[in-house]
Amino acid sequence: MAEQLNDPENSGLADKLLQYLPARFRPGAAVVPVVRLSGVIGAVTPLRPGMTLAGVARVLERAFSYRNAKAVALVINSPGGSPVQSRQIYLRIKQLAAEKKLPVLVFVEDVAASGGYMIACAGDEIFCDPSSILGSIGVVGGSFGFQEAIKRLGIERRLYTAGAHKAMLDPFLPENPDDVAKLKALQREIHQIFIALVKESRGTRLKGADDTLFTGEYWAGETSIALGLADGIGDIRSTLRARYGEKVLTPVIAQPTGLLSGLLGRKSPGAGQLSAMESMAGLPDELISAVETRAIWAKFGF
């Protein structure tokens, strides 16, 4: 049997048969699945699509289960958003990487800021462009005060609650210093969780002082590397070819679309008219959400 396997004629036949296999199933083929994580995090309305764990979980699981995978590459372009969704996505990536024993390489496009940077910290290495923006390790919240506006319009605010702080920070009531103090305490608590995550993920690679790194400031690529927030300048194609060879395969793992997505329950048959009516009813909220999303991106110049 060993002689047959070593026979040059049989070996040549085997090589020819391998040519008919999909590239990812050929022995020795280096495969690095690519997952794109883009947009504001935690936004789920039609005019404000964004990332949630529920939305990216299946794609991540497919990427980490890919046959012959040598690593998983994440392409991140996000200005942040929900700290809860950001951390949950971060944890799922870390869990899958540990289960499958695969390294994770992160490539930042325009921006990985706030929650976007939190997700990037799930990578073993972070690469960026010289003009990429990274950081913004902080917590922000905002609102408006409409109490004077409704007074001028002759509108009377009627609000009924059970619980002393149920109407805290209501935009139609005057700002209460005690409510602001409670909000800031909550923000500090969330900020500390964020800081601990970055320190645990980046470890001794962090070079800046805490009062530099964790003020909410953000930096371009080269400065981010000097501060230890990223590991190097590099685009996904060049970096993966240099590391895994010129023939490395980089299949993009995306959400199912079209008929397949319908069969998987992303769109319910016969629900079109109802969805349209609901969209019309919520149009003011959707427009506000769209403006908010634009404002988040604009903060970083995009």
Side-chain angles (χ1 to χ4, degrees):
M1 179 65 72
E3 292 178 357
Q4 291 178 340
L5 291 174
N6 292 325
D7 189 310
E9 292 185 6
N10 289 338
S11 178
L13 177 61
D15 290 340
K16 290 180 180 179
L17 290 174
L18 286 174
Q19 295 177 7
Y20 294 96
L21 286 174
R24 60 182 170 139
F25 293 114
R26 296 173 194 167
V31 181
V32 181
V34 178
V35 176
R36 298 186 64 87
L37 300 174
S38 303
V40 176
I41 302 165
V44 294
T45 59
L47 291 183
R48 193 184 172 196
M51 278 190 280
T52 62
L53 176 59
V56 303
R58 172 172 285 183
V59 174
L60 291 172
E61 287 166 6
R62 286 174 56 203
F64 280 95
S65 299
Y66 216 84
R67 187 183 179 105
N68 290 337
K70 301 295 184 183
V72 170
L74 304 178
V75 179
I76 295 179
N77 194 10
S78 173
S82 164
V84 174
Q85 293 297 323
S86 302
R87 186 171 180 276
Q88 288 186 348
I89 294 171
Y90 163 91
L91 289 175
R92 180 61 61 89
I93 294 168
K94 297 291 283 186
Q95 290 162 358
L96 289 169
E99 290 171 9
K100 303 297 182 178
K101 296 180 174 56
L102 288 174
V104 177
L105 306 178
V106 169
F107 296 88
V108 177
E109 291 190 321
D110 297 303
V111 58
S114 195
Y117 183 71
M118 183 183 289
I119 294 175
C121 284
D124 295 285
E125 296 177 74
I126 300 175
F127 299 93
C128 59
D129 185 85
S131 298
S132 297
I133 291 175
L134 293 85
S136 190
I137 303 168
V139 181
V140 64
S143 182
F144 297 94
F146 296 109
Q147 71 275 9
E148 295 300 326
I150 65 172
K151 186 185 299 183
R152 285 196 295 269
L153 293 171
I155 300 172
E156 181 184 356
R157 172 68 163 161
R158 295 173 180 174
L159 184 65
Y160 312 101
T161 67
H165 302 289
K166 189 62 179 177
M168 187 174 75
L169 300 175
D170 184 286
F172 295 99
L173 295 175
E175 187 176 66
N176 184 327
D178 290 339
D179 291 347
V180 175
K182 290 181 176 65
L183 174 63
K184 287 186 173 294
L186 179 63
Q187 289 179 323
R188 286 192 293 270
E189 185 176 350
I190 296 172
H191 192 198
Q192 288 304 313
I193 294 170
F194 195 172
I195 292 172
L197 182 148
V198 174
K199 286 186 172 182
E200 180 181 357
S201 301
R202 300 297 297 170
T204 57
R205 288 176 289 184
L206 292 175
K207 303 302 180 186
D210 285 9
D211 57 3
T212 297
L213 294 174
F214 306 129
T215 62
E217 189 177 354
Y218 44 88
W219 303 271
E222 294 285 4
T223 304
S224 298
I225 294 168
L227 292 171
L229 298 177
D231 298 290
I233 299 295
D235 65 279
I236 187 169
R237 186 173 185 270
S238 301
T239 302
L240 294 183
R241 285 191 168 198
R243 186 160 301 190
Y244 299 104
E246 290 293 319
K247 296 184 178 180
V248 62
L249 303 171
T250 56
V252 177
I253 312 301
Q255 292 279 11
T257 57
L259 176 61
L260 180 58
S261 66
L263 292 174
L264 292 175
R266 294 185 65 194
K267 189 177 292 185
S268 301
Q273 292 181 339
L274 179 60
S275 297
M277 291 173 63
E278 290 175 343
S279 296
M280 288 299 292
L283 187 58
D285 288 341
E286 301 295 354
L287 291 174
I288 291 173
S289 294
V291 171
E292 288 177 344
T293 299
R294 186 70 195 91
I296 292 172
W297 280 106
K299 177 181 177 182
F300 302 100
F302 296 101

